[in-house]
Amino acid sequence: MSRWALLVSMVVAVGSHGASFAQEMSPSGQYREQGLPVAGWLLYPSIFVGATYDTNPNQTATDHNNNVGLRVAPRLTGTYDGGVQKSTFYGVVDARFFSADTVAATAGFTHLWQAQQDLLFNFFGNYTRQTDIFRSALQFNNGAIGPPATPNVNIPIILNPFGTTPGANPIAYNQFTAGAQATKIFNQAFVTLSATGYGILYDHSDSIPLGSPFQTSHDGASYWLTARVGYNFTPQFYAFAQGDGIFQRFQNSLFNTNGYRVIGGIGSNDPKSLFRGEVYGGYWAQNQDQDNVFGFGIPTDANSAVFGGRLSYFPTRYWAIIAQVDQTLGMSTTLAPNIPAGIPSKTTTAILQSTYGIARDWSVGVRGGYTWGQFISFGQLNTHGWMAGASFNYEVWRNLMLTLDYQYTSTESNTVLAPFTEFTDNRYTAGLTYKY
């Protein structure tokens, strides 16, 4: 029996007839009708239950322990529109019951307050648990596309603020984001001031004494102070210049850095347009507070040209595309084979998702991802990570869908101990998705 046949036979056994009052949804993942009204909010709940076969659930370089297990992925999003006050929240869990490291989650909110016609305040927050960007809860079944949160809400303001990359034997972490911004509009010009804080806490092994630098050195925070000025040349097109002050702080203060980023770019944010997004380019520099004590010749500063952007595009009502690319400078704070701690690093992260409705009752999705970790001025060491996936959803009833999903992840490194740091993983999933 094939892997897919095994998974489908397991999930069909737990299927049941759905309620007929469910809201209809288009194959692109955007609800056509209103959600469930509760106290002024519109809620959009869904849940996936099924089976998953994973060829390497622990992402080990050797001794792959392939396994079959239960996979549950609940999702809840909601919107509130009070005129001058508008809010969105979202929560997604992707639980593969192999270990604590295979349970991913993300939850957050955004709130817009239009104090005056030309003065807006935004508040936002996010919590994410994962081992790397490819194991995000938003990857399964193209979860970053869906009602009612737009991709710009689901994707963090900075896609990968701590420059994490996939690797063998990963450690799960909890990442926190909180921030606020104020925007003042002057006819066609605008000025935005914002402050954002990011925090990261890794799971700690009980076998390592609390307080050991091997235990806590990679826990930390990053604080961003941002000023942006821009000009709307048309309702669909704007240009901007932006400056960021970036202050990275870690449990081990030897890794602390101060820096700045200067970028400029163009974008579009017309809510009536099928295309929204922006692209940017500029320069980033980070300087380590203290001299590097981990090895002779390791630089304490990092500076580089950077680029990035984000895109959400809906060519038709049945086709959705989102993409984001970001580059991050920082310090390598974890010990890895042939990579001493404290090396300045530059991480490029790219994510793409697309969903297309072939017919009213079934749709397909594809996704891809790439990470490139460069260790600056230290023998041209680098690591690469790739992710590719696809999903299929067939509407068995109005509110119940058969869901098939596949994801491939792989890494490679040019270190001399690469065979012990690289891994490959194939993940097959089949189940039923219920949407109210």
Side-chain angles (χ1 to χ4, degrees), residues 320-339:
I321 303 171
I322 67 168
Q324 183 166 358
V325 178
D326 272 329
Q327 293 187 310
T328 307
L329 290 189
M331 293 290 168
S332 172
T333 62
T334 57
L335 297 178
N338 205 38
I339 302 175

Side-chain angles (χ1 to χ4, degrees), residues 2 6 11 15 22 31 104 111 114 129 185 204 207-208 258 262 300 315 347 371 393 400-401 404 422 424:
S2 70
L6 173 63
V11 300
Y31 279 92
H111 179 75
Q114 187 174 5
R129 177 175 174 81
I185 301 173
H204 294 161
S207 62
I208 301 177
N258 299 318
V262 180
T300 59
T347 303
T371 61
N393 287 274
L400 189 67
M401 294 185 296
L404 306 178
E422 300 172 344
T424 298

